[in-house]
């Protein structure tokens, strides 16, 4: 059953990470990976320094080098902008700490699928998968889950998808009918939930046709957990995401992180319909369990949101109820801090979501000191606030990577969705014009990603989303990211207002992880070309007034 999520075992005071005041409950059973215990940082702070700063003087630089060599990591110090960012995030979101080797970055769809299957097959206690949908032909993935359940009698499987997207094809084979087969065979060892947005109800729900109704909001999180490991990604679970649709994929080896996201999963699952197998043409039915803590979202939306807010807010916000003693800094191997951030706007009143304010804090750090940054999204419809902050930044180099029309999943699709690639082209063109207007063409660059043409042999699509930030270095060739955002959000108005999103902000001084983050950017850049103002003047890039008018009306749903 979906239980109400237990409170986190960790709390903190309001003065934030920068003054090392993370508190620990002695009764907690959480592992030591959640403690930030680095003597080197204590020595650095005592000298008024911090990680990833290139501006320390000779004396303080030598002291930092000595302190950090004691910790066995690179001799770098924290940039003041990153110090402020971490304090802002401390006040906003939960925080976890990882050691070297607890994060892996996967690069390709087939690597993602291979690892996904391996982790499911080896799981002993639990597999939980939250995704927008499972592809209707993913019989192999269902067979992998089935085999794992047969081989491991203690294993339980939890699946969460969106109710609108997961039933779109019904009564033909659908994501829901595929999952129902596991429920039929394994009973209560498999629990499947389908989330339905409270935004779509009454006459709207009755009149708006399938597929178009998905414009009112979806369950969009991508959380793939196995025992004490989890993959955070932007990829759904279907054939193209396993073969030729480029995304991002981070594997975390941490019981604490996995348990946290399982609590997020359980909370949303407890606010969702349960799926059962039946003999109807659809092959499934949806029912609202009496054990759910809120009424159905399509019947009593206000009460549903009120109770959802009560359940979710304590999970996603930082806690400041701190009564325990200060944890000593005795572990020099902790090198990475994680801040989970989520956007649950449809479920919260007041809106206590953490993704939007966290990303704004992140982008505010780019206003000074010449950080380099990379921003990517498969759909170029950046939220206006984020767009303005990127344009207002003063980077050494700022790069946006987005899909070319031929790499957009809606390229030449039937119906209204076929207008989306030219709509994104119009937004990209406007962005480049604004870069030119602000005299930043030498600093901010827009790259289009294309690897073949969708629906032609060898054609790929692009679905990656994220942010990377690199602190300024004396030698620009040595710049590597120390910050990234990974998760489900496309950073659009829709992500902010309509869908359920979950991400994590990673800040690290682990040189190996920073190198992997740098390599990830280079991997994404290998199929890109820069787009300048004149690039949009070719006949194939002309955007009709009809597209622009539709964009003005429907932009919030993109």
């Amino acid at each position: 059953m979906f239980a109400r999520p237990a409170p986190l075992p960790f709390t903190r005071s309001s003065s934030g990470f920068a003054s090392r005041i993370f508190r620990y409950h002695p009764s907690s059973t959480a592992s030591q990976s959640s403690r930030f215990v680095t003597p080197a940082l204590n020595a650095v702070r005592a000298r008024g320094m911090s990680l990833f700063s290139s501006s320390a003087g000779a004396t303080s630089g030598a002291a930092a080098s000595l302190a950090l060599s004691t910790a066995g990591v690179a001799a770098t110090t924290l940039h003041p902008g990153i110090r402020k960012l971490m304090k802002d995030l401390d006040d906003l979101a939960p925080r976890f700490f990882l050691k070297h080797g607890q994060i892996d970055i996967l690069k390709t769809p087939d690597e993602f699928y291979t690892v996904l299957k391996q982790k499911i097959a080896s799981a002993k206690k639990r597999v939980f998968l939250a995704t927008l949908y499972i592809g209707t032909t993913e019989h192999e993935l269902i067979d992998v889950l089935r085999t794992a359940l047969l081989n491991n009698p203690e294993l339980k499987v939890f699946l969460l998808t969106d109710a609108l997207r997961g039933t779109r094809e019904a009564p033909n084979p659908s994501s829901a009918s595929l999952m129902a087969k596991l429920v039929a065979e394994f009973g209560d060892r498999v629990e499947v939930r389908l989330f339905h947005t409270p935004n779509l109800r009454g006459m709207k729900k009755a009149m708006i046709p399938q597929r178009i109704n998905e414009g009112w909001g979806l369950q969009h999180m991508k959380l793939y957990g196995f025992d004490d490991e989890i993959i955070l990604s932007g990829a759904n679970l279907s054939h193209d995401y396993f073969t030729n649709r480029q995304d991002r994929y981070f594997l975390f080896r941490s019981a604490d992180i996995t348990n946290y996201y399982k609590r997020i999963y359980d909370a949303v699952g407890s606010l969702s319909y349960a799926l059962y197998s039946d003999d109807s043409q659809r092959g499934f039915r949806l029912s609202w369990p009496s054990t759910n803590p809120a009424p159905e979202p399509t019947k009593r939306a206000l009460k549903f949101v009120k109770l959802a807010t009560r359940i979710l807010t304590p999970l996603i916000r930082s806690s400041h109820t701190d009564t325990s003693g200060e944890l000593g800094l005795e572990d020099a191997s902790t090198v990475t801090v994680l801040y989970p951030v989520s956007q649950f706007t449809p479920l919260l009143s007041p809106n206590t979501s953490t993704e939007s304010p966290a990303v704004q804090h992140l982008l505010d750090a780019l206003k000074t000191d010449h950080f380099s940054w990379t921003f990517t999204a498969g759909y170029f419809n950046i939220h206006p606030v984020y767009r303005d902050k990127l344009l207002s930044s003063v980077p050494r180099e700022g790069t946006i990577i987005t899909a070319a029309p031929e790499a957009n999943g809606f390229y030449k699709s039937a119906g209204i969705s076929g207008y989306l690639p030219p709509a994104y082209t119009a937004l990209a063109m406007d962005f480049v014009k604004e870069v030119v207007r602000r005299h930043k063409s030498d600093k901010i660059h827009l790259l289009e990603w294309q690897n073949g043409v969708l629906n032609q042999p060898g054609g790929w699509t692009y679905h990656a989303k994220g942010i990377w930030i690199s602190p300024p270095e004396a030698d620009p060739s040595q710049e590597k990211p120390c910050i990234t955002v990974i998760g489900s959000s496309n950073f659009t108005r829709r992500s902010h207002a309509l869908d359920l999103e979950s991400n994590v902000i990673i800040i690290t001084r682990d040189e190996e992880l920073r190198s992997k983050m740098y390599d990830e950017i280079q991997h994404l850049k290998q199929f890109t070309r820069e787009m300048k103002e004149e690039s949009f003047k070719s006949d194939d890039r002309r955007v009709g007034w009809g597209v622009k008018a539709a964009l003005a009306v429907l932009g919030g749903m993109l």
Side-chain angles (χ1 to χ4, degrees):
M1 296 295 296
F2 282 91
R4 288 188 184 232
L8 297 177
F10 299 103
T11 58
R12 81 202 78 220
S13 79
S14 60
S15 50
F17 174 79
S19 54
R20 65 169 179 79
I21 41 55
F22 187 74
R23 306 285 201 244
Y24 177 72
H25 288 295
S27 61
S28 170
T29 58
S31 73
Q32 279 200 349
S33 66
S34 290
R35 312 181 192 182
F36 192 80
V37 280
T38 311
L41 289 182
N42 195 24
V44 168
R45 291 191 190 95
R47 293 165 175 81
M49 299 174 293
S50 39
L51 287 172
F52 306 125
S53 172
S54 60
S55 59
T59 303
S60 60
S65 177
L66 176 61
L68 289 167
S69 65
T70 303
V73 297
T76 51
T77 56
L78 187 69
H79 189 283
I82 298 176
R83 181 193 295 270
K84 181 183 184 304
L85 170 64
M86 294 176 76
K87 184 181 185 305
D88 290 336
L89 295 177
D90 278 345
D91 292 339
L92 180 68
R95 183 185 60 208
F96 297 88
F97 302 100
L98 297 185
K99 301 177 183 179
H100 174 79
Q102 288 189 272
I103 301 176
D104 275 345
I105 301 177
L106 314 178
K107 290 183 179 178
T108 63
D110 61 330
E111 185 181 10
F112 164 57
Y113 189 38
T114 297
V115 172
L116 180 74
K117 292 186 292 183
Q118 289 173 347
K119 296 299 181 183
I120 292 172
S122 61
K124 303 301 182 185
K125 298 296 183 182
R126 64 181 180 184
V127 170
F128 63 96
L129 308 177
T131 188
L132 175 60
Y133 67 100
I134 297 176
T136 59
T137 61
E138 292 311 310
H139 302 290
E140 182 184 39
L141 178 61
I142 296 300
D143 285 343
V144 171
L145 288 165
R146 181 178 182 274
T147 301
L149 285 160
L150 291 172
N151 291 342
N152 302 293
E154 301 299 315
L155 180 66
K156 291 189 176 182
V157 170
F158 305 89
L159 304 175
L160 172 66
T161 70
D162 183 75
L164 300 175
R165 181 63 182 87
T167 61
R168 178 199 287 179
E169 299 85 358
N172 296 318
S174 64
S175 180
S177 64
L178 196 63
M179 296 184 292
K181 296 176 181 178
L182 289 175
V183 177
E185 182 171 0
F186 294 99
D188 61 6
R189 290 182 62 200
V190 176
E191 187 159 71
V192 180
R193 294 296 180 109
L194 278 72
F195 172 83
H196 191 293
T197 179
N199 293 338
L200 186 69
R201 60 190 188 274
M203 290 298 294
K204 283 190 297 185
K205 181 171 176 62
M207 298 181 63
I208 297 172
Q210 286 183 320
R211 192 175 187 186
I212 294 177
N213 61 8
E214 296 166 25
W216 272 258
L218 299 167
Q219 191 305 105
H220 200 249
M221 299 185 296
K222 281 82 173 176
L223 311 174
Y224 306 130
F226 334 88
D227 289 342
D228 293 334
E229 298 179 317
I230 187 168
I231 294 174
L232 298 186
S233 178
N236 294 304
L237 301 180
S238 65
H239 179 72
D240 50 348
Y241 289 96
F242 300 153
T243 54
N244 62 351
R245 188 159 173 77
Q246 182 64 58
D247 216 299
R248 298 178 68 208
Y249 333 85
F250 276 47
L251 171 63
F252 300 87
R253 298 185 177 91
S254 164
D256 293 334
I257 297 299
T258 308
N259 288 338
Y260 173 79
Y261 280 106
K262 181 57 164 62
R263 287 190 284 271
I264 292 289
Y265 177 102
D266 285 344
V268 176
S270 74
L271 300 166
S272 302
Y273 288 91
L275 178 140
Y276 301 96
S277 176
D278 70 12
D279 296 328
S280 67
Q281 184 180 0
R282 288 157 49 106
F284 67 89
R285 63 181 175 86
L286 300 181
S287 177
W288 192 258
S290 60
T291 54
N292 280 7
E296 290 187 57
T298 57
K299 294 182 178 179
R300 298 178 61 194
L302 293 179
K303 182 70 171 179
F304 174 83
V305 170
K306 179 180 179 180
L307 293 172
T309 303
R310 189 179 301 171
I311 292 167
L312 289 167
T313 297
L315 270 178
I316 65 176
R317 300 292 295 199
S318 173
S319 171
H320 298 291
T321 55
D322 200 341
T323 58
S324 58
E326 184 173 333
L327 175 68
L329 301 181
E330 71 269 10
D331 187 346
S333 62
T334 304
V335 292
T336 300
V337 58
L338 274 62
Y339 296 94
V341 293
S342 298
Q343 196 71 26
F344 293 151
T345 304
L347 298 180
L348 301 174
S349 181
N351 188 357
T352 53
S353 295
T354 53
E355 176 196 304
S356 180
V359 172
Q360 291 185 57
H361 286 315
L362 196 69
L363 300 182
D364 283 340
L366 307 179
K367 292 179 179 178
T368 59
D369 295 321
H370 303 287
F371 287 92
S372 292
W373 55 261
T374 300
F375 179 102
T376 191
Y379 308 121
F380 196 85
N381 186 27
I382 305 174
H383 191 285
V385 173
Y386 303 160
R387 178 182 184 272
D388 184 67
K389 289 181 182 294
L390 290 172
L391 287 166
S392 299
S393 67
V394 287
R396 189 191 68 77
E397 182 176 16
T399 303
I400 288 184
I401 306 173
T402 191
E406 297 83 357
N408 188 297
F410 298 107
Y411 181 64
K412 292 188 175 180
S413 69
I416 192 172
S417 60
Y419 291 97
L420 292 177
Y424 296 132
T425 291
L427 292 168
M429 179 172 59
D430 288 345
F431 183 87
V432 171
K433 287 182 177 179
E434 185 63 16
V435 170
V436 172
R437 191 187 72 80
R438 299 191 187 204
H439 306 290
K440 293 186 176 182
S441 298
D442 60 332
K443 298 295 184 182
I444 299 177
H445 310 277
L446 176 70
L447 308 183
E448 274 194 354
W449 190 99
Q450 182 180 353
N451 183 10
V453 177
L454 176 63
N455 296 326
Q456 294 186 14
W460 283 52
T461 57
Y462 187 79
H463 196 250
K465 64 281 301 260
I467 303 170
W468 300 258
I469 295 176
S470 304
E473 301 285 354
D475 180 358
S477 67
Q478 299 301 309
E479 287 186 355
K480 294 179 293 185
C482 67
I483 300 173
T484 193
V485 183
I486 173 72
S488 64
S489 180
N490 289 307
F491 307 109
T492 62
R493 285 178 286 178
R494 175 180 181 133
S495 298
H496 177 267
L498 297 174
D499 294 339
L500 306 190
E501 309 283 8
S502 199
N503 312 271
V504 68
I505 297 174
I506 302 170
I507 304 177
T508 187
R509 61 188 179 94
D510 185 331
E511 288 299 314
E512 182 177 341
L513 179 57
R514 294 181 68 190
S515 294
K516 289 180 179 179
M517 288 157 57
Y518 174 85
D519 291 342
E520 183 189 26
I521 296 174
Q522 300 312 306
H523 171 73
L524 296 178
K525 281 184 174 180
Q526 65 179 319
F527 294 110
T528 64
R529 62 166 181 157
E530 183 170 1
M531 299 295 291
K532 298 182 178 294
E533 250 191 313
E534 55 269 23
S535 306
F536 293 97
K537 295 179 180 178
S538 60
D539 290 342
D540 63 330
R541 291 307 180 98
R542 289 183 178 175
V543 179
W545 287 107
V547 171
K548 294 179 179 179
L551 186 60
V553 174
L554 300 175
M557 291 185 175
L558 304 183

